[in-house]
Coordinates of all heavy atoms in Angstrom, one line a residue:
T11 N 93.5 -22.3 -22.9 CA 93.9 -22.6 -21.5 C 93.4 -21.6 -20.5 O 93.1 -21.8 -19.3 CB 95.5 -22.7 -21.4 OG1 95.9 -23.8 -22.1 CG2 95.8 -22.9 -19.9
D12 N 93.2 -20.3 -21.0 CA 92.8 -19.1 -20.2 C 91.3 -19.3 -20.0 O 90.6 -18.5 -20.6 CB 93.3 -17.8 -20.8 CG 92.9 -16.7 -19.9 OD1 92.4 -16.9 -18.7 OD2 93.0 -15.5 -20.3
V13 N 90.8 -20.1 -19.2 CA 89.3 -20.4 -19.1 C 88.7 -19.2 -18.4 O 87.4 -19.0 -18.6 CB 89.0 -21.6 -18.3 CG1 89.5 -22.8 -19.1 CG2 89.6 -21.7 -17.0
R14 N 89.4 -18.4 -17.8 CA 88.8 -17.2 -17.1 C 88.3 -16.2 -18.2 O 87.5 -15.3 -17.9 CB 89.8 -16.5 -16.0 CG 90.1 -17.4 -14.9 CD 90.7 -16.7 -13.8 NE 91.2 -17.7 -12.7 CZ 90.4 -18.1 -11.8 NH1 89.1 -17.7 -11.7 NH2 90.8 -18.9 -10.9
A15 N 88.9 -16.3 -19.4 CA 88.5 -15.5 -20.5 C 87.2 -16.0 -21.2 O 86.7 -15.5 -22.2 CB 89.6 -15.4 -21.5
N16 N 86.6 -17.1 -20.7 CA 85.4 -17.7 -21.4 C 84.3 -16.6 -21.5 O 84.1 -15.9 -20.5 CB 84.9 -18.9 -20.5 CG 85.8 -20.1 -20.6 OD1 86.8 -20.1 -21.4 ND2 85.3 -21.2 -20.1
I17 N 83.6 -16.8 -22.6 CA 82.5 -15.8 -22.8 C 81.1 -16.5 -22.7 O 80.0 -15.9 -22.8 CB 82.6 -15.2 -24.2 CG1 82.6 -16.2 -25.3 CG2 83.8 -14.2 -24.1 CD1 82.7 -15.5 -26.7
T18 N 81.1 -17.9 -22.6 CA 79.8 -18.6 -22.4 C 79.1 -18.2 -21.1 O 79.8 -18.0 -20.1 CB 80.1 -20.2 -22.4 OG1 80.6 -20.6 -23.7 CG2 78.8 -20.9 -22.1
E19 N 77.8 -18.0 -21.3 CA 77.1 -17.4 -20.1 C 76.0 -18.3 -19.6 O 75.3 -19.1 -20.4 CB 76.4 -16.0 -20.5 CG 77.4 -15.0 -20.9 CD 76.8 -13.7 -21.2 OE1 75.5 -13.6 -21.5 OE2 77.5 -12.6 -21.2
A20 N 75.7 -18.3 -18.3 CA 74.7 -19.0 -17.6 C 73.6 -18.1 -17.1 O 74.0 -17.1 -16.3 CB 75.2 -19.9 -16.5
R21 N 72.4 -18.3 -17.4 CA 71.3 -17.4 -16.9 C 70.4 -18.1 -15.9 O 69.9 -19.3 -16.3 CB 70.5 -16.8 -18.0 CG 69.3 -15.9 -17.7 CD 68.8 -15.3 -18.9 NE 68.1 -16.3 -19.7 CZ 66.9 -16.7 -19.7 NH1 66.1 -16.2 -18.7 NH2 66.4 -17.6 -20.4
T22 N 70.2 -17.7 -14.7 CA 69.4 -18.4 -13.7 C 67.9 -18.4 -14.2 O 67.3 -17.4 -14.5 CB 69.5 -17.8 -12.4 OG1 70.9 -17.8 -12.0 CG2 68.7 -18.5 -11.3
V23 N 67.3 -19.6 -14.2 CA 65.9 -19.8 -14.5 C 65.3 -20.7 -13.5 O 65.4 -21.9 -13.6 CB 65.7 -20.4 -15.9 CG1 64.2 -20.5 -16.3 CG2 66.4 -19.5 -16.9
G24 N 64.7 -20.2 -12.4 CA 64.2 -21.0 -11.3 C 65.2 -21.7 -10.6 O 66.2 -21.1 -10.1
D25 N 65.2 -23.1 -10.5 CA 66.1 -23.9 -9.8 C 67.3 -24.4 -10.6 O 68.0 -25.3 -10.2 CB 65.4 -25.1 -9.1 CG 64.7 -26.0 -10.2 OD1 64.8 -25.7 -11.5 OD2 64.3 -27.1 -9.9
H26 N 67.4 -23.8 -11.8 CA 68.5 -24.2 -12.7 C 69.0 -23.1 -13.5 O 68.6 -21.9 -13.3 CB 68.0 -25.4 -13.6 CG 67.1 -24.9 -14.6 ND1 65.7 -24.8 -14.3 CD2 67.1 -24.6 -16.0 CE1 65.0 -24.4 -15.4 NE2 65.9 -24.2 -16.3
V27 N 70.0 -23.3 -14.4 CA 70.4 -22.2 -15.3 C 70.3 -22.7 -16.7 O 70.1 -23.9 -17.1 CB 72.0 -21.9 -15.0 CG1 72.1 -21.4 -13.6 CG2 72.8 -23.1 -15.4
E28 N 70.2 -21.8 -17.6 CA 70.3 -22.1 -19.0 C 71.6 -21.4 -19.6 O 71.8 -20.2 -19.4 CB 69.1 -21.6 -19.8 CG 67.8 -22.3 -19.4 CD 66.6 -21.9 -20.2 OE1 66.6 -20.8 -20.8 OE2 65.5 -22.6 -20.1
I29 N 72.3 -22.3 -20.3 CA 73.7 -21.8 -20.8 C 73.6 -21.6 -22.2 O 73.2 -22.4 -23.1 CB 74.7 -22.9 -20.4 CG1 74.8 -23.0 -18.9 CG2 76.0 -22.5 -20.9 CD1 75.8 -24.0 -18.3
S30 N 74.2 -20.4 -22.6 CA 74.4 -20.1 -24.1 C 75.8 -19.8 -24.4 O 76.4 -19.0 -23.7 CB 73.4 -19.0 -24.5 OG 72.0 -19.3 -24.3
G31 N 76.3 -20.3 -25.4 CA 77.7 -20.1 -25.8 C 78.3 -21.4 -26.5 O 77.6 -22.0 -27.4
H32 N 79.5 -21.7 -26.3 CA 80.2 -22.7 -27.0 C 81.3 -23.3 -26.3 O 81.9 -22.7 -25.2 CB 80.7 -22.2 -28.4 CG 82.1 -21.4 -28.2 ND1 82.2 -20.1 -27.8 CD2 83.3 -21.8 -28.5 CE1 83.4 -19.8 -27.7 NE2 84.2 -20.8 -28.2
K33 N 81.9 -24.4 -26.8 CA 83.1 -25.1 -26.3 C 83.9 -25.5 -27.6 O 83.3 -26.1 -28.5 CB 83.0 -26.2 -25.4 CG 82.3 -25.8 -24.1 CD 83.2 -24.9 -23.2 CE 82.4 -24.2 -22.1 NZ 83.1 -23.2 -21.4
W34 N 85.2 -25.2 -27.6 CA 86.0 -25.5 -28.8 C 86.4 -27.0 -28.8 O 86.7 -27.5 -29.7 CB 87.2 -24.6 -28.8 CG 88.1 -24.6 -30.0 CD1 89.4 -24.8 -30.0 CD2 87.7 -24.4 -31.4 NE1 89.9 -24.8 -31.3 CE2 88.8 -24.5 -32.1 CE3 86.5 -24.2 -32.1 CZ2 88.9 -24.4 -33.5 CZ3 86.5 -24.0 -33.4 CH2 87.7 -24.2 -34.1
F35 N 86.6 -27.4 -27.5 CA 87.0 -28.9 -27.3 C 86.0 -29.4 -26.3 O 86.0 -28.9 -25.1 CB 88.4 -29.1 -26.8 CG 89.4 -29.2 -27.9 CD1 90.0 -28.0 -28.3 CD2 89.8 -30.4 -28.5 CE1 91.0 -28.1 -29.4 CE2 90.7 -30.5 -29.6 CZ 91.3 -29.3 -30.0
M36 N 85.2 -30.3 -26.6 CA 84.3 -31.1 -25.5 C 84.3 -32.5 -26.0 O 84.0 -32.9 -27.0 CB 82.9 -30.6 -25.5 CG 82.2 -31.0 -24.2 SD 80.8 -30.1 -23.8 CE 79.5 -30.8 -24.9
S37 N 84.9 -33.3 -24.9 CA 84.9 -34.7 -25.1 C 84.1 -35.4 -23.9 O 84.1 -34.9 -22.8 CB 86.4 -35.2 -25.0 OG 87.1 -34.7 -26.0
A38 N 83.6 -36.5 -24.1 CA 83.3 -37.1 -25.5 C 81.8 -36.9 -25.7 O 81.1 -37.0 -24.8 CB 83.6 -38.6 -25.4
P39 N 81.4 -36.5 -26.9 CA 80.1 -36.0 -27.2 C 78.9 -36.9 -26.9 O 77.7 -36.4 -26.8 CB 80.2 -35.5 -28.6 CG 81.3 -36.3 -29.2 CD 82.3 -36.4 -28.2
M40 N 79.1 -38.2 -26.8 CA 78.0 -39.1 -26.6 C 77.9 -39.5 -25.0 O 77.1 -40.4 -24.7 CB 78.2 -40.4 -27.4 CG 77.8 -40.2 -28.8 SD 76.2 -39.4 -29.1 CE 75.1 -40.6 -28.5
C41 N 78.6 -38.7 -24.2 CA 78.4 -38.9 -22.8 C 77.1 -38.4 -22.4 O 76.3 -37.7 -23.1 CB 79.5 -38.1 -22.0 SG 81.1 -38.9 -22.0
D42 N 76.6 -38.8 -21.3 CA 75.2 -38.5 -20.8 C 75.2 -37.1 -20.1 O 74.0 -36.6 -19.9 CB 74.7 -39.6 -19.8 CG 74.6 -40.9 -20.6 OD1 73.7 -41.1 -21.3 OD2 75.5 -41.8 -20.4
A43 N 76.3 -36.6 -19.7 CA 76.3 -35.2 -19.1 C 77.7 -34.7 -19.2 O 78.7 -35.5 -19.3 CB 75.7 -35.3 -17.6
F44 N 77.8 -33.4 -19.0 CA 79.2 -32.7 -19.1 C 79.3 -31.8 -18.0 O 78.4 -31.0 -17.7 CB 79.3 -32.1 -20.5 CG 79.0 -32.9 -21.6 CD1 77.7 -33.1 -22.1 CD2 80.1 -33.6 -22.2 CE1 77.5 -34.0 -23.2 CE2 79.8 -34.5 -23.3 CZ 78.5 -34.6 -23.8
L45 N 80.5 -31.7 -17.4 CA 80.9 -30.7 -16.5 C 81.4 -29.6 -17.4 O 82.4 -29.8 -18.1 CB 81.9 -31.1 -15.5 CG 81.3 -32.0 -14.3 CD1 82.4 -32.8 -13.7 CD2 80.6 -31.1 -13.3
V46 N 80.8 -28.4 -17.3 CA 81.2 -27.2 -18.1 C 81.5 -26.0 -17.3 O 80.9 -25.9 -16.2 CB 80.1 -26.9 -19.2 CG1 80.0 -28.2 -20.1 CG2 78.8 -26.5 -18.6
L47 N 82.2 -25.2 -17.8 CA 82.4 -23.9 -17.2 C 81.7 -22.7 -18.0 O 81.8 -22.7 -19.2 CB 83.9 -23.5 -17.2 CG 84.9 -24.4 -16.2 CD1 86.2 -23.9 -16.4 CD2 84.4 -24.3 -14.8
A48 N 81.1 -21.8 -17.3 CA 80.4 -20.7 -17.8 C 80.2 -19.5 -16.9 O 80.4 -19.7 -15.7 CB 78.9 -21.2 -18.2
Q49 N 80.1 -18.4 -17.4 CA 80.1 -17.2 -16.6 C 78.7 -17.0 -16.0 O 77.7 -16.8 -16.6 CB 80.4 -15.9 -17.4 CG 81.8 -15.8 -18.0 CD 82.9 -15.7 -17.0 OE1 82.7 -15.5 -15.9 NE2 84.1 -15.9 -17.6
G50 N 78.6 -17.2 -14.6 CA 77.5 -17.0 -13.8 C 77.4 -15.6 -13.3 O 78.1 -14.8 -13.6
E51 N 76.5 -15.5 -12.4 CA 76.3 -14.1 -11.8 C 77.4 -13.6 -11.0 O 77.7 -12.4 -11.0 CB 75.0 -14.1 -10.9 CG 73.7 -14.4 -11.7 CD 72.5 -14.5 -10.7 OE1 72.7 -14.4 -9.5 OE2 71.3 -14.7 -11.2
A52 N 78.2 -14.6 -10.4 CA 79.3 -14.1 -9.6 C 80.7 -14.5 -10.2 O 81.7 -14.6 -9.6 CB 79.2 -14.8 -8.2
G53 N 80.6 -14.8 -11.5 CA 81.9 -15.2 -12.2 C 81.8 -16.6 -12.8 O 80.8 -17.2 -12.8

C-alpha cells in the first residue's frame, strides 16, 4: 500500500521514458496498456 516506497525507476529517453523495475500485483496482464507508478526525476 505504501506506493511512495516504490523502487521502480523511469529514465527519460527523448520524448518518452524507459521503466525498469517490477510490480507485485498487476491486473490484468492481457490488457493493451497499463497505468503504472515509477520514480521519475521529480519523484
Side-chain angles (χ1 to χ4, degrees):
T11 298
D12 185 7
V13 295
R14 295 189 188 278
N16 283 6
I17 59 177
T18 294
E19 295 183 343
R21 182 173 64 91
T22 301
V23 181
D25 62 352
H26 66 280
V27 300
E28 291 184 348
I29 295 179
S30 296
H32 80 282
K33 295 298 169 188
W34 187 236
F35 274 91
M36 194 161 84
S37 297
M40 284 310 293
C41 287
D42 298 285
F44 306 87
L45 283 162
V46 301
L47 294 177
Q49 299 290 352
E51 295 175 0

